[in-house]
Amino acid sequence: MRAIVLVGGEGTRLRPLTWRTPKALVPVLGRPLLEHLLLNLKQHGVDSVTLAMTARAEAIRGAFGNGEVLGIALDYAYEDTPLGSGGAIAATASTWRGAGGGVWNEAFLVVNGDIITDLDLSAMLEAHRARGAVLSLSLHEVDDPSPFGVVDIDAEGRIHRFVEKPKREDAPSHLINAGTWIFEPRLLDMLDPTTFNRVEDGLFPTLCSSGEPVYGFHQPAYWGDIGNPDALLRVNLDMASGRVTSPATPRLTPGPSGQDIYIHETSTIEDGARVEGPCVIGAGCIVRAGASVARSLLWDGVTVGPEAQVRDSILATDVTVEDGARVVRSVVAHAATIPRDASLEGERVEPAEQSLSRDLSKDGAQTT
Ligand code: GTP
């Protein structure tokens, strides 16, 4: 089966981390998010994937090339500027040739490139076929649906309408569009490949209002998008504590002091330093004596100085936290230095202007 993975967004909510690392390459348990996602697709019989992207995300190509390293055929479709989900799907599929060299004429999968899920795609495809759906959407149940696109769905799973960001009390359900879709090829005729358009705002509601068979697929799978720093931290810590597993082998191994702590073998936790789980510590990090790190995500090459404290935070590649500094609920981007005895709470620190450029993409890690 063929799939399109959408990786051409700007990733504004994940800034400052995405200034230097495209969202699809941010690390989850030491592997790029996209690697987890692609291997999950492969596990369910997807053998060919086109990444729909812009030149800004070229580091993705550097990390995965033609996909041989993952055992999946990968190619790339470029938009000059982001075309939105609808434009990107239409433009990408127009590069495919169907049997006999004509237009593409088989069902295909579309996945948002910023999610971690252990969704059973094979079961979703089976349901799609059995129901004769023109479009199937994976759904995820949330406590508070008000920030999301919510579905109005019947007992058979048929979706009758979408309600964008409803008031909690007005929401027709607690099921949201979880960013994995199965498309029948005839939908491509309804999308414009040349101008910005989003299927969530255009195609999907149009199909429902014209009575087309649009179905939701809901199972109690793990689902986390990494669209903002809180969500990125949560997904990493969830994987560290085993709430979700992935077919990608973590580059990190459980630390000696607790199963919820993953530390790369090249990192050093000095005697007298404290690491409190869940925590994820990438390659070449040093946590000095007297320092403490708790519920945090450290990418590669991070140094936490003596007596410094890091809590509920994300520190990107090559960050230095100097002696006695305190970093709480903060996001610190590439190569930034938090000076001695500084105290940050709830802050976002931009990347350092000049930094050593480390390209770890060859072993599948994040790039800077
Ligand atoms: P924000 O700027 O933080 O909203 O992030 P984003 O631009 O990535 O948007 P969003 O989270 O809604 O995108 C969901 C997925 O679709 C991500 O994997 C994006 O990379 C991808 N995506 C969003 N817009 C486009 C687009 O115009 N073209 C392509 N090819 N992919 C897109």
Side-chain angles (χ1 to χ4, degrees), residues 83-88 90 190-200 203:
L83 282 172
S85 48
M190 301 171 69
L191 292 173
D192 180 354
T194 59
T195 51
F196 184 94
N197 67 94
R198 283 170 35 92
V199 288
E200 300 90 326
L203 179 70

Side-chain angles (χ1 to χ4, degrees), residues 41 46 72 85 96-97 132 190 193 204 211 213 216 236 247 284 316 329 340:
L41 297 185
V46 173
I72 193 165
S85 48
W96 297 348
R97 285 294 145 250
M190 301 171 69
F204 292 177
N236 268 276
R329 289 196 321 282
R340 169 190 278 264

Side-chain angles (χ1 to χ4, degrees), residues 4-15 18 23-24 33 51-54 77 79 81-89 92 111-115 181 196-198 200 225 227-228:
I4 295 173
V5 179
L6 299 171
V7 292
E10 297 283 329
T12 48
R13 288 166 299 143
L14 202 51
R15 286 178 190 157
T18 41
K23 189 158 65 162
L33 171 113
L51 297 178
M53 58 190 248
T54 61
E79 296 145 56
T81 56
L83 282 172
S85 48
I89 293 165
T92 300
V111 185
N112 278 347
D114 60 354
I115 52 178
W181 311 317
F196 184 94
N197 67 94
R198 283 170 35 92
E200 300 90 326
D225 84 51
N228 60 58

Side-chain angles (χ1 to χ4, degrees), residues 5-293:
V5 179
L6 299 171
V7 292
E10 297 283 329
T12 48
R13 288 166 299 143
L14 202 51
R15 286 178 190 157
L17 298 170
T18 41
W19 286 127
R20 298 215 187 143
T21 300
K23 189 158 65 162
L25 291 187
V26 303
V28 177
L29 236 55
R31 314 283 338 172
L33 171 113
L34 190 58
E35 183 173 327
H36 295 280
L37 189 155
L38 290 172
L39 289 177
N40 186 45
L41 297 185
K42 180 181 162 190
Q43 217 174 30
H44 290 284
V46 173
D47 51 12
S48 175
V49 174
T50 306
L51 297 178
M53 58 190 248
T54 61
R56 240 192 112 247
E58 191 58 11
I60 296 176
R61 197 185 191 116
F64 295 109
N66 64 6
E68 205 177 341
V69 57
L70 301 180
I72 193 165
L74 268 189
D75 59 9
Y76 301 81
Y78 290 89
E79 296 145 56
D80 291 337
T81 56
L83 282 172
S85 48
I89 293 165
T92 300
S94 72
T95 66
W96 297 348
R97 285 294 145 250
V103 294
W104 188 252
N105 54 8
E106 288 170 33
F108 61 94
L109 198 69
V110 180
V111 185
N112 278 347
D114 60 354
I115 52 178
I116 288 282
T117 179
D118 53 12
L119 173 73
D120 184 349
L121 274 173
S122 309
M124 181 172 166
L125 187 60
E126 217 175 286
H128 175 84
R129 290 188 176 131
R131 292 156 152 178
V134 68
L135 170 72
S136 294
L137 288 84
S138 69
L139 303 175
H140 176 68
E141 188 163 4
V142 291
D143 283 342
D144 177 11
S146 56
F148 299 104
V150 183
V151 297
D152 185 354
I153 189 168
D154 68 21
E156 274 69 54
R158 190 157 174 164
I159 297 175
H160 294 281
R161 71 190 166 112
F162 293 85
V163 185
E164 268 308 308
K165 301 187 175 60
K167 280 196 203 145
R168 203 172 173 152
E169 58 278 18
D170 297 338
S173 73
H174 282 219
L175 295 172
I176 62 164
N177 169 8
T180 300
W181 311 317
I182 299 171
F183 273 60
E184 284 301 309
R186 72 180 168 89
L187 298 183
L188 291 170
D189 295 337
M190 301 171 69
L191 292 173
D192 180 354
T194 59
T195 51
F196 184 94
N197 67 94
R198 283 170 35 92
V199 288
E200 300 90 326
D201 307 329
L203 179 70
F204 292 177
T206 303
L207 289 173
C208 289
S209 55
S210 49
E212 293 274 12
V214 175
Y215 281 89
F217 182 78
H218 176 227
Q219 55 167 210
Y222 180 89
W223 178 85
D225 84 51
I226 57 133
N228 60 58
D230 285 347
L232 173 62
L233 183 58
R234 192 175 333 115
V235 166
N236 268 276
L237 302 188
D238 282 349
M239 208 179 266
S241 47
R243 286 193 59 208
V244 57
T245 55
S246 157
T249 314
R251 209 163 55 100
L252 317 178
T253 48
S257 55
Q259 293 112 336
D260 294 2
I261 299 171
Y262 272 75
I263 302 177
H264 193 270
E265 59 188 17
T266 56
S267 284
T268 306
I269 312 297
E270 289 186 353
D271 288 346
R274 246 192 27 246
V275 178
E276 195 183 303
C279 236
V280 174
I281 298 182
C285 295
I286 303 175
V287 182
R288 297 274 182 220
S292 71
V293 178

